[in-house]
Amino acid sequence: AIIILASGVTYAALQSQQVKLTGNTIETATANLQISADGSFFANTKVGFTFNNLIPGGGASPWDGYSLWLKNSGGTPLNLKLAVSSIPTNPNNVDLTKLNVILTPVGTNAGPSQSFTLQSLIDANTTGGVAVTSPEQLFVGNTQQYTIKVSMALDAITGSTASLGNIDFAFTGQAVTN
């Protein structure tokens, strides 16, 4: 009996006390993409551009492109996508598969230009957009400048003139998951 009593006391003496990590909080990262026309003042929306004097079959307009900047103001790297989030007005029945939007990254490590048909950007809106591949990821706090211009194939219109309106280019930043 003494041996059993002694071993029970030893067991009780070797138990550790409980320790705690209290008051924990779990939060998701914030994906926050912003846009600017001058590289200084960023917001969630910006008034767009007028792409005029476009010559079907000619060069892209404007020849030097309009500048825009995207900034990752969130807490996670982002993959970028582009779509058209509105239904454009098209009274002259322009073939939207023959109207190209050209996005060119600017900077020392900039990749090549990407060309998207306006129709592909409209179609991609339901799936979050078409991938913008340069940069591959926009890291936290980083800014990327682009130029944007448009071109039109010679056979995109049947009349002597055409006009499109209500075109909203929507850039999306999707959190990188790997």
Side-chain angles (χ1 to χ4, degrees), residues 3 10 41 65 80 83-84 95 108 120 130 152 163 168:
I3 295 173
T10 303
F41 298 100
L80 301 176
V84 169
D95 183 344
T108 55
S120 73
V130 178
M152 181 183 291
S163 179
D168 296 339

Side-chain angles (χ1 to χ4, degrees), residues 20 30 78 89 91 126 132:
K20 297 180 183 179
T30 303
L78 299 173
T89 58
T126 58
V132 174

Side-chain angles (χ1 to χ4, degrees), residues 114-166:
Q114 285 183 268
S115 182
F116 311 95
T117 68
L118 190 60
Q119 188 63 57
S120 73
L121 294 176
I122 293 166
D123 295 342
N125 187 52
T126 58
T127 59
V130 178
V132 174
T133 58
S134 183
E136 188 176 321
Q137 295 177 4
L138 187 59
F139 292 104
V140 175
N142 285 5
T143 300
Q144 177 61 55
Q145 181 183 0
Y146 294 93
T147 60
I148 189 169
K149 45 185 149 177
V150 297
S151 68
M152 181 183 291
L154 183 61
D155 59 346
I157 62 172
T158 55
S160 60
T161 186
S163 179
L164 295 160
N166 192 43

Side-chain angles (χ1 to χ4, degrees), residues 48-71:
F49 306 109
T50 300
F51 299 91
N52 57 4
N53 297 319
L54 192 62
I55 299 171
S61 178
W63 70 270
D64 56 349
Y66 291 115
S67 289
L68 64 97
W69 286 258
L70 297 177
K71 181 177 183 179

Side-chain angles (χ1 to χ4, degrees), residues 7 10 18 24-25 53 55 78 95-96 102 141 151 165 171 175-176:
S7 66
T10 303
Q18 185 181 43
N24 297 285
T25 303
N53 297 319
I55 299 171
L78 299 173
D95 183 344
L96 302 181
I102 303 156
S151 68
F171 291 91
V176 175

